[in-house]
Structure formats: C-alpha cells, structure tokens
Amino acid sequence: MPSAFIVASAPVASSGPPPRFVSSSASPVVAGRDELLAGLLAPGASIAPKYFYDTLGSALFEAITELDEYYPTRTERAILAARDREIAAAFGRPGCTLIDLGAGNGEKAARLFAALRPREYVAIDISVEYLRRSLEALQSRFPHVAMTGVGADLGEPIELPERVARQGRLFFYPGSSIGNFVPDDAQRFLAGLRTHLDDTGGLLVGIDLAKDARTLEAAYDDALGVTAAFNRNVLRHVNRIAGTDFVLADWRHVARFDATHGRVEMHLEARRPVRVSWPGGERRFAAGERIHTENSYKYRLADFAALLGRAGFAVQAQWLDERERFAMLLARPQRA
Ligand code: AVJ
C-alpha cells in the first residue's frame, strides 16, 4: 500500500501564503476493511488501535488528555516546557528538519519551535483532513518554517518526500504512542526510522514509565467514562468501514494492567451473547468474550534503552518529571 502522500507544501515567504495542496486522495485507513474483518474472525478477536481515530475518536482522545487520571500528556508537556532549551542544546543543530510522527494538531511540536528553530517541519498523521487544517493554521503562525504534511499509517514503512534534507533530521515521537507497538514491532519501527537518518540525525521520543497498577488502570478507566466512550466508539467506526452491525450497548469497556507483559490492555467485553454480521459474514461472541482493542506498553528506562540499542540507536540524554512517571529520550544513530 502506498502509505505516504503529500497533503501540504508551503513555499516559505515572510508574507505567509496559504499552504499549497499538492495531492490528496482517500484516507490511509479506507483500505482497512479486509484487515478489520480478519481481526474480528480470529479466535482472539482484535481491532487495531488506529481505528480509534475517526473525527469523534480524535475529539474523545483530546478529552482524555484533559482528565485528572490521565497523567501522560500533561506530564510530558511539563517536561518539554521545562527542558526545551536543554533538548535543543543536546541535539545541537538549529535549522534542523523536525519530523513529527502522529502530529495531530501539531501543537506539541510547535511548542518546541522557539527552542529548536527548525528550518523545516514535516508532519505525518493518519488523520489527513485534520492534519491539513492543522498545518494551514500552523503555517500562518510560523511563516518561516517550511511545512509539509504527509498522510500515512505509521504501521507501514515511512516514506519521506524526496526533497526533505537528509542532514539534521530530528524525528519527534511524543505521547508514548510507541507503547501501542509490541516490543518487537517497536524495535522494527525504530530500525525503520534509523534508515532515514545520518550521523547528524536524532530521535526525541516520549515513553510512559512502569508504575503501580492502580495509577495505570485509573488512567485507562476514568470516573467520567471518557476512555470507555473512546473504546466503544471504535465500534461505530468499524461499522462504517466494514459494514458491521455492532450495537454499542452490548459491549463493556475493560482496562487492565498486565504486569507480565508490562502493558495496559483495553478490551471490549460482550455483556451477553452477541451476533455481529456484515455483508458476507458473521461472528458470534459468547457473554464475557472480548475484543482486544489496544496495548499500551509501560517501559522501564533500561529496557527501552536496550530496545533502542537493538534498533541502532544510543540514548544521548533523558529527561523525567520529578515523580518519574514519564520520560523524554534523545537518541542518536549508533554506528553498527
Ligand atoms: C495515544 C497511544 C499514547 O496508549 O495512552 C489513551 C491512547 N488509549 N487512553 C495511550 C489511549 C486509552 C494513548 N496513546
């Protein structure tokens, strides 16, 4: 599947022209129907977490980041706000190309612009329309930063537009989104990033750290029920993409910390015997049977550093909040 296409490319001019849209087609998840149905038919049913992020799902995730229980976003924001100059000094390359993996509205990256002084900003996200609107707004606030949007599924190999400078690339992967990958896939993903970097490149990545189960389970099962809504909303999205007839009220939100794997798992559990059908097929679920919707790995620093090492990176520096809940790591390519 061609995973990358440019949605916005703005020539830099101090007058700040609107971004020029080069090419745009269907959303990268449209091709997901077969993959979704295969996941539903597997003995242990699953739906990949990328399907959370339709328009309502993206809004629900933004709401999650405001919850008292959900500490990662605000903790990371505080680390970045306090340490932005140190991070820029450690990377040591003003005029870099900042490549934002899962950019969303681009706000996290934009908060680093003053310290990092990037020449170019490349924003990659699966939610293409959202990205397009975000980049238009950002471009007018930062007319001197060249901006390019790429619509892509980060589960596929990353393709960067030809003209993106090879020197001074800094991948930015915040939010502990890397926690959605099982460790072997995380390693492959990081090794893939490594191939886009030379000695002058780097990776700034946010990691949610291992901690007590109570804190973790509260973060994924909040009192207001926003995370439950976010989880159940995936079924609305699947109904639209795959033509299934999931009834949301049949499914209960479950979030559990699995200490063996070091991950929070989210599931949807059938409240009663359920039959789900779609054009050409069906699946029956017994009461209590579950659909696995997300893994969110919580790493110990040493384990994540080892994983980075296996992917061809070495940790140059790390910044934690004082409660050691979350870490930002700056990693550099390591010679083999
Ligand atoms: C966006 C993948 C980092 O795993 O914490 C939040 C998604 N899921 N609450 C996470 C999520 C449930 C989030 N990431």
Side-chain angles (χ1 to χ4, degrees):
M1 176 171 43
S3 64
F5 54 90
I6 298 169
V7 295
S9 170
V12 188
S14 49
S15 55
R20 181 168 60 88
F21 294 104
V22 173
S23 147
S24 164
S25 61
S27 145
V29 268
V30 163
R33 189 173 175 276
D34 294 348
E35 176 196 80
L36 269 171
L37 293 176
L40 288 179
L41 287 167
S46 66
I47 297 171
K50 66 184 171 192
Y51 296 104
F52 285 134
Y53 302 97
D54 64 350
T55 306
L56 179 53
S58 298
L60 286 168
F61 178 68
E62 269 193 54
I64 286 172
T65 68
E66 302 283 329
L67 295 168
D68 293 338
E69 296 96 329
Y70 193 77
Y71 60 86
T73 310
R74 82 176 68 87
T75 307
E76 180 182 64
R77 187 187 305 129
I79 295 170
L80 289 174
R83 308 297 196 153
D84 60 349
R85 316 242 145 226
E86 282 176 43
I87 291 167
F91 185 58
R93 220 186 148 88
C96 67
T97 298
L98 186 63
I99 307 172
D100 195 348
L101 303 169
N105 62 16
E107 263 315 309
K108 280 185 194 176
R111 283 196 216 96
L112 291 176
F113 284 0
L116 276 178
R117 307 182 63 79
R119 190 190 314 280
E120 187 168 6
Y121 174 56
V122 179
I124 305 180
D125 203 280
I126 195 165
S127 194
V128 180
E129 276 313 308
Y130 191 69
L131 182 64
R132 181 198 302 276
R133 283 196 295 272
S134 305
L135 273 191
E136 276 177 335
L138 269 192
Q139 182 72 83
S140 59
R141 276 169 59 202
F142 300 96
H144 297 283
V145 180
M147 294 192 184
T148 302
V150 178
D153 174 354
L154 293 178
E156 306 287 328
I158 289 172
E159 290 167 41
L160 294 175
E162 199 82 23
R163 58 193 167 67
V164 174
R166 183 151 182 97
Q167 289 218 314
R169 290 177 178 171
L170 178 59
F171 281 111
F172 181 47
Y173 199 31
S176 77
S177 294
I178 197 159
N180 272 174
F181 289 113
V182 301
D184 281 353
D185 290 342
Q187 185 184 322
R188 265 189 287 279
F189 175 79
L190 293 170
L193 297 183
R194 172 70 184 83
T195 66
H196 292 286
L197 300 177
D198 66 12
D199 288 352
T200 62
L203 163 68
L204 183 62
V205 59
I207 302 299
D208 196 15
L209 298 174
K211 58 183 63 65
D212 63 286
R214 257 173 65 103
T215 302
L216 288 170
E217 289 182 355
Y220 291 82
D221 193 6
D222 59 280
L224 207 48
V226 181
T227 308
F230 173 74
N231 196 10
R232 253 187 238 110
N233 176 66
V234 81
L235 299 177
R236 293 175 63 247
H237 195 199
V238 171
N239 282 348
R240 288 201 308 278
I241 294 174
T244 47
D245 59 357
F246 279 105
V247 175
L248 274 59
D250 288 342
W251 299 90
R252 188 171 81 86
H253 168 65
V254 177
R256 291 280 179 272
F257 179 59
D258 176 342
T260 312
H261 292 99
R263 68 193 191 196
V264 174
E265 295 185 2
M266 294 210 311
H267 299 261
L268 291 163
E269 184 180 287
R271 294 181 191 273
R272 52 189 77 87
V274 170
R275 193 187 114 177
V276 180
S277 49
W278 55 87
E282 67 160 41
R283 163 96 194 235
R284 286 163 196 273
F285 293 90
E289 206 174 334
R290 290 175 175 183
I291 302 173
H292 187 185
T293 53
E294 185 171 50
N295 288 322
S296 194
Y297 278 82
K298 309 303 169 187
Y299 284 99
R300 292 183 307 166
L301 273 174
D303 294 340
F304 195 77
L307 194 155
L308 278 166
R310 293 195 295 278
F313 286 95
V315 176
Q316 181 188 343
Q318 59 197 34
W319 296 271
L320 280 67
D321 61 299
E322 67 285 351
R323 297 170 74 178
E324 305 195 350
R325 290 181 152 194
F326 199 94
M328 290 307 303
L329 273 56
L330 178 63
R332 308 303 287 252
Q334 179 174 250
R335 285 171 202 280

